[in-house]
Amino acid sequence: MKRVMIVGGPGSGKSTLARRLGERTGLPVFHMDKIHWCAGWVERARDEKDRMTHEVHIQDRWIFEGGHSSTYPERVARADTFVWLDVPVGLRIFRVLKRSVVNYGTTRPDLADGCPERLDFQTIEFLRFIWRTRHSARAKLLAVYQEPPRHLDVFRLTTKLEFDAFLRTCAERGDQDLHGTSTV
């Protein structure tokens, strides 16, 4: 395991998994939200995001969590491990609301500097986005999971128990490969 692609909808636990997996493996962790946003919740231009994600993809070792699905083909081609957090939309919405309340006014470590958590109209719009894209975003990830390239080990985690078991397996195996496992 040298290049790990962690995906899932907002609130699925991608940042938490990336951080914990990084601690266990020593792999550098990259968060798509740090690429997507500039200070003040200003979205970067698509070509700049594409360039920045490419700079991560070409590295030899990484854990890269997050979306920007237009770069999935390149990320899948470079990754050796694909972890999909396939969590129910209701739980994801609850988690997004909870983190907005708990972290209100502060910037989480997986976000760009100057992007404090907020509870406002933008939060409501984000929740609508989560609801609106729940099927289309999931379909893209399901396609990779169901027909991965030969070089890619795939994992689909749907519960906290599977999440914890995946981390335990990684910790037990250390820096060894997890080949042969298709789901946890």
Side-chain angles (χ1 to χ4, degrees), residues 69-70 72 82 84 135-145:
S69 61
S70 66
Y72 281 177
F82 174 89
W84 174 25
H135 298 299
S136 59
R138 187 176 183 282
K140 290 178 185 179
L141 301 175
L142 182 61
V144 175
Y145 178 75

Side-chain angles (χ1 to χ4, degrees), residues 6-15 33 36-37 65-68 72 84-97 99-100 108 110 117 123 125-138 141:
I6 299 175
V7 292
S12 62
K14 298 180 302 292
S15 297
D33 281 344
H36 187 80
W37 299 109
E65 67 87 4
H68 198 46
Y72 281 177
W84 174 25
L85 301 178
D86 188 17
V87 179
V89 69
L91 178 58
R92 294 191 296 114
I93 288 172
F94 171 77
R95 288 176 174 174
V96 167
L97 284 170
R99 77 181 181 203
S100 295
R108 297 188 331 264
D110 54 302
E117 279 293 341
T123 308
E125 285 303 307
F126 186 51
L127 296 175
R128 287 181 179 157
F129 167 80
I130 293 169
W131 185 257
R132 239 186 3 261
T133 61
R134 69 192 185 279
H135 298 299
S136 59
R138 187 176 183 282
L141 301 175

Side-chain angles (χ1 to χ4, degrees), residues 138-182:
R138 187 176 183 282
K140 290 178 185 179
L141 301 175
L142 182 61
V144 175
Y145 178 75
Q146 287 181 329
E147 295 187 36
R150 291 184 186 266
H151 73 275
L152 193 65
D153 289 324
V154 297
F155 300 86
R156 178 175 167 242
L157 312 178
T158 62
T159 67
K160 175 92 168 81
L161 288 174
E162 291 174 350
F163 182 103
D164 293 341
F166 178 79
L167 282 173
R168 267 194 316 278
T169 300
C170 292
E172 290 167 3
R173 295 189 183 199
D175 204 20
Q176 298 173 8
D177 289 335
L178 294 175
H179 294 296
T181 307
S182 61

Side-chain angles (χ1 to χ4, degrees), residues 9-83:
S12 62
K14 298 180 302 292
S15 297
T16 299
L17 179 60
R19 188 174 46 256
R20 290 184 183 168
L21 190 57
E23 291 166 0
R24 285 164 172 76
T25 63
L27 293 169
V29 175
F30 298 90
H31 301 280
M32 189 61 217
D33 281 344
K34 286 191 174 213
I35 293 173
H36 187 80
W37 299 109
C38 296
W41 292 100
V42 175
E43 185 177 349
R44 290 188 202 277
R46 176 175 291 276
D47 61 337
E48 189 175 0
K49 289 188 284 189
D50 290 349
R51 179 188 55 77
M52 292 172 76
T53 57
H54 176 74
E55 289 173 2
V56 174
H57 298 163
I58 63 173
Q59 295 181 35
D60 188 45
R61 303 174 74 231
W62 44 259
I63 296 171
F64 196 178
E65 67 87 4
H68 198 46
S69 61
S70 66
T71 63
Y72 281 177
E74 181 183 2
R75 203 171 317 164
V76 166
R78 289 283 299 147
D80 57 32
T81 307
F82 174 89
V83 183

